[in-house]
Amino acid sequence: MAVAIGFVAEHVAVVQRGELIAIDSRFAVRGREPPPRGIVIVGIDAPTFGDLRLRYPFPRSVHAGVIDRLTRDGARQIVYDISFQNPTTPREDAALLAAIRRARSIVLAVTQSTGFRRPVILGGARRIEGWGARLGVAQAAAPERGAYVRRMFY
């Protein structure tokens, strides 16, 4: 009976709406917080395409250059939110893998897995992690009411 009640409560819109209101209220009480100091977000936007005169997806050597530049400029942590799961050309892939290996501390996005703890990433997860890189899930649930992402996949 408890399992049935829990299942129904999880899937009834009224309960879900109430939970979303509660989550939003807790964040509203906390108020806006400024981002931590020392964080820089390097984004890809319309001016980026114009400046580089490239179409997406960018060659892997471009990403390698960004990683090397951030490493050279002293980034303590690089978090790359682009998934590199499929090979491109040997030269481009080698450039990216070499930059990942040179990075002091990098987290790479993973969007696919072939099973529990077997993420799909160029070069192989064990090899990449052996270099000190970490892998992170890059898929968020679809935005909910108010265009907020309130939950992440486990």
Side-chain angles (χ1 to χ4, degrees), residues 96-98 100-104 123 126-133:
L96 176 63
L97 291 171
I100 291 168
R101 190 170 191 174
R102 287 188 295 268
R104 284 187 283 280
R126 285 189 180 169
R127 179 179 181 196
I128 297 289
E129 290 175 321
W131 296 339

Side-chain angles (χ1 to χ4, degrees), residues 86-153:
N86 298 320
T88 58
T89 67
R91 182 177 174 190
E92 291 294 321
D93 294 344
L96 176 63
L97 291 171
I100 291 168
R101 190 170 191 174
R102 287 188 295 268
R104 284 187 283 280
S105 184
I106 188 167
V107 179
L108 299 168
V110 175
T111 58
Q112 277 187 309
S113 158
T114 59
F116 182 71
R117 304 257 326 137
R118 295 202 329 233
V120 176
I121 188 162
L122 176 72
R126 285 189 180 169
R127 179 179 181 196
I128 297 289
E129 290 175 321
W131 296 339
R134 290 179 289 171
L135 305 178
V137 176
Q139 292 177 310
E144 299 171 23
R145 184 179 61 84
Y148 292 107
V149 175
R150 295 178 181 91
R151 303 170 197 269
M152 294 296 293
F153 295 121

